[in-house]
Amino acid sequence: MDLFWLFCAGEDSGDILGESVVCEIREKGFSAVGAGGARMQHAGLKAVVPFDELPVNGFADVIFHAKKLKQHLCKLQKLLLNEKCQGLVAMDYPGFNLKLMQLALRLGKRIIYVEPPQIWAWNPRRVRFFLSPEAKKRVELRSCYRMNVLAYQKYGLPIRQIEHPFAAFSDLKKTEAFSPKEILLLPGSRVSQAKRNLSLYRKVAQKFREKKIAVRFVASRKEVQKFLEENIGEFPVVLSPVSTEERFLQMMSAKAVVCGPGSAASEAKWTGTFCVVASRIELWTFLMGKLFLRTRHIAMPNIEADSVGEKPPFPEFVQSVLSNESVQAQKIFQAIESR
């Protein structure tokens, strides 16, 4: 095996941000090995664990997949111990990456952490992992979100603000002529998430179909695409493009987007597409969020707008699985219709 850097991305957001870092490491003459999705693999990552088995959503999901997740973590840790491993590139996913980072520090290896834990929103004690003399010496922090940059700077930690991948195509908004006609529905990047949101998103889709407005479901990965195709055959389902430019154009060409509070909401903001943030959350996770989440909103575009006293750009309808989904669907529909 050639000299390599170990990569770990466990979510679609990490896969999106990790693509450029894979290119960066390979341009320096190293191989990229580890965990990452289609975008990182397209850039040259050699995947050693199944990316589709890494994303989890909520406490119950973590417990249910605990054994398999532990196996994947152990495999990544063994690669980190390999003498040919030059360092760790961590993308978000703190459940794995903080453990990998601690091991890398004990081994004296360099770490690049892209989108470190959101200490301003949840569990601020995690900052302690970055405050040791060894961590300050060996960990390079990067984030494309102003909130994260400011949070780590408050602790005297240098952190580099990077561009969102969509920034490279922002001029297309001025030069491309589009006539948006359809609603894009993104019910979740994980099958478990898509299952919880399926009935809600179907109700929303049916409301738009009654108004003769086209709708299209977008799946972030093949296993989600398969699940949606098997359960909502009456509506078209497409796989999200690997190409960043194609994703930008897909998002920009929509009349509106309905999605969860993750990376899709940020992408909609970059394209200037109206977005409704909607999700159904397992009860325990919902209650924990109510108790410990330190922000009034959960979608990053809304959080960042609120932090500077601006009006949040997107309505949020995020409720527990015990809430009335028919009422939730009607609110989503009305939010888009009133635009």
Side-chain angles (χ1 to χ4, degrees):
M1 182 182 291
D2 297 331
L3 297 178
F4 68 93
W5 278 65
L6 180 70
F7 282 73
C8 182
E11 307 279 357
D12 285 351
S13 56
D15 187 41
I16 290 167
L17 295 172
E19 182 180 8
S20 62
V21 192
V22 171
C23 294
E24 175 187 335
I25 292 298
R26 295 187 72 223
E27 286 172 0
K28 293 179 178 179
F30 301 106
S31 297
V33 178
R39 297 168 184 94
M40 290 170 63
Q41 291 175 38
H42 184 261
L45 175 79
K46 179 184 177 183
V48 296
V49 296
F51 183 68
D52 287 343
E53 295 181 2
L54 294 177
V56 289
N57 183 248
F59 293 103
D61 212 16
V62 172
I63 294 170
F64 184 75
H65 293 95
K67 183 176 180 181
K68 191 169 288 185
L69 290 170
K70 185 176 180 180
Q71 291 172 348
H72 297 329
L73 176 61
C74 288
K75 189 165 188 176
L76 296 174
Q77 288 173 327
K78 286 180 181 178
L79 282 167
L80 195 54
L81 289 166
N82 190 308
E83 62 181 12
K84 291 188 176 181
C85 178
Q86 303 300 292
L88 169 70
V89 180
M91 271 75 62
D92 198 357
Y93 206 53
F96 266 37
N97 281 325
L98 289 177
K99 293 181 179 68
L100 291 172
M101 188 183 88
Q102 288 176 286
L103 176 57
L105 288 174
R106 290 198 297 271
L107 296 170
K109 296 184 178 182
R110 289 179 55 203
I111 299 106
I112 298 173
Y113 205 134
V114 183
E115 297 307 337
Q118 295 175 345
I119 55 175
W120 45 270
W122 182 274
N123 199 354
R125 292 179 301 167
R126 280 176 165 171
V127 74
R128 71 185 187 278
F129 292 105
F130 303 90
L131 292 175
S132 70
E134 192 67 16
K136 289 181 178 180
K137 177 182 176 183
R138 297 191 178 277
V139 181
E140 177 188 341
L141 299 174
R142 303 180 185 181
S143 176
C144 62
Y145 297 112
R146 176 177 170 273
M147 293 291 293
N148 243 13
V149 171
L150 293 176
Y152 282 87
Q153 286 178 341
K154 285 181 180 178
Y155 288 91
L157 293 168
I159 178 168
R160 184 172 126 203
Q161 183 151 12
I162 57 176
E163 282 194 334
H164 188 280
F166 272 21
F169 307 102
S170 57
D171 287 343
L172 290 175
K173 289 185 287 187
K174 303 175 183 178
T175 60
E176 295 286 347
F178 286 98
S179 179
K181 297 179 181 178
E182 68 178 3
I183 309 296
L184 294 183
L185 303 174
L186 291 77
S189 60
R190 317 158 186 88
V191 171
S192 59
Q193 192 177 21
K195 284 180 180 178
R196 282 197 298 274
N197 287 328
L198 181 65
S199 181
L200 170 66
Y201 276 60
R202 181 190 277 121
K203 289 179 186 296
V204 173
Q206 289 168 343
K207 288 180 180 295
F208 282 107
R209 185 170 63 179
E210 290 169 3
K211 291 286 186 177
K212 309 298 182 185
I213 298 174
V215 297
R216 186 185 301 270
F217 281 79
V218 180
S220 61
R221 58 190 69 199
K222 290 181 180 179
E223 64 166 358
V224 176
Q225 181 185 25
K226 180 182 178 182
F227 168 77
L228 292 175
E229 287 174 341
E230 290 173 349
N231 289 277
I232 50 165
E234 69 269 35
F235 297 106
V237 180
V238 297
L239 189 64
S240 178
V242 172
S243 161
T244 305
E245 182 175 5
E246 289 178 12
R247 282 201 322 283
F248 185 98
L249 295 174
Q250 179 191 63
M251 187 76 72
M252 186 170 63
S253 65
K255 179 178 180 179
V257 174
V258 183
C259 64
S263 57
S266 294
E267 292 184 343
K269 180 66 166 58
W270 271 98
T271 60
T273 304
F274 181 66
C275 175
V276 175
V277 177
S279 191
R280 295 180 68 76
I281 310 296
E282 63 175 33
L283 183 59
W284 180 244
T285 304
F286 183 80
L287 293 175
M288 291 293 286
K290 285 288 187 181
L291 286 171
F292 297 111
L293 195 63
R294 304 168 74 198
T295 62
R296 293 193 296 176
H297 305 278
I298 60 173
M300 186 60 77
N302 290 345
I303 292 169
E304 294 203 312
D306 190 52
S307 72
V308 293
E310 297 177 357
K311 181 181 177 181
F314 301 146
E316 293 182 2
F317 302 107
V318 178
Q319 299 177 2
S320 84
V321 291
L322 300 183
S323 65
N324 189 318
E325 65 182 19
S326 294
V327 173
Q328 191 178 2
Q330 181 64 23
K331 289 180 178 179
I332 296 166
F333 174 76
Q334 290 174 342
I336 295 175
E337 277 286 275
S338 63
R339 289 285 294 173

